[in-house]
Amino acid sequence: MKLNKAQDVNTAEVAALGLVGGWLTARATGVRGLGGVVLAAAGGWAGRTWLVKSGPTVAGILGATYLGAFGVSHALAKKIGAWPAVLTVTAATCTACHYLCDAKE
């Protein structure tokens, strides 16, 4: 298996895959750790591109945003429900990915 060059990856899509895909995996399997594996794999994949395309500062900001979205989604789910919470934090994270990294092409 060969990954695309880091410069060619759209990180907004990868972040969405990690946040939504991780949640769906955990929900569908009942194994939260498996959802965490999906979240971590996508975060690592996106992080590689954030670092190459935008440098360590932006990579750190986007990494913190990605992990923070995961944490915030849990608290937000208690107020608005699981699906709306996951979609809200995913939209915010993907927007940040687009403007801080992906739009630099």
Side-chain angles (χ1 to χ4, degrees):
M1 178 174 85
K2 181 181 173 203
L3 293 176
N4 288 343
K5 292 180 182 177
Q7 299 88 332
D8 298 334
V9 174
N10 183 343
T11 64
E13 294 171 4
V14 177
L17 170 72
L19 292 166
V20 175
W23 181 78
L24 282 171
T25 299
R27 183 171 181 187
T29 65
V31 181
R32 294 180 72 173
L34 193 55
V37 168
V38 172
L39 181 80
W45 187 13
R48 146 186 180 261
T49 296
W50 296 330
L51 188 58
V52 169
K53 285 172 76 171
S54 300
T57 301
V58 171
I61 291 167
L62 290 173
T65 301
Y66 182 74
L67 291 175
F70 171 69
V72 168
S73 70
H74 288 82
L76 193 56
K78 293 177 182 177
K79 297 186 185 297
I80 65 173
W83 260 121
V86 170
L87 294 177
T88 299
V89 301
T90 299
T93 302
C94 291
T95 299
C97 290
H98 174 74
Y99 286 108
L100 294 178
C101 182
D102 298 338
K104 291 187 171 199
E105 296 175 11

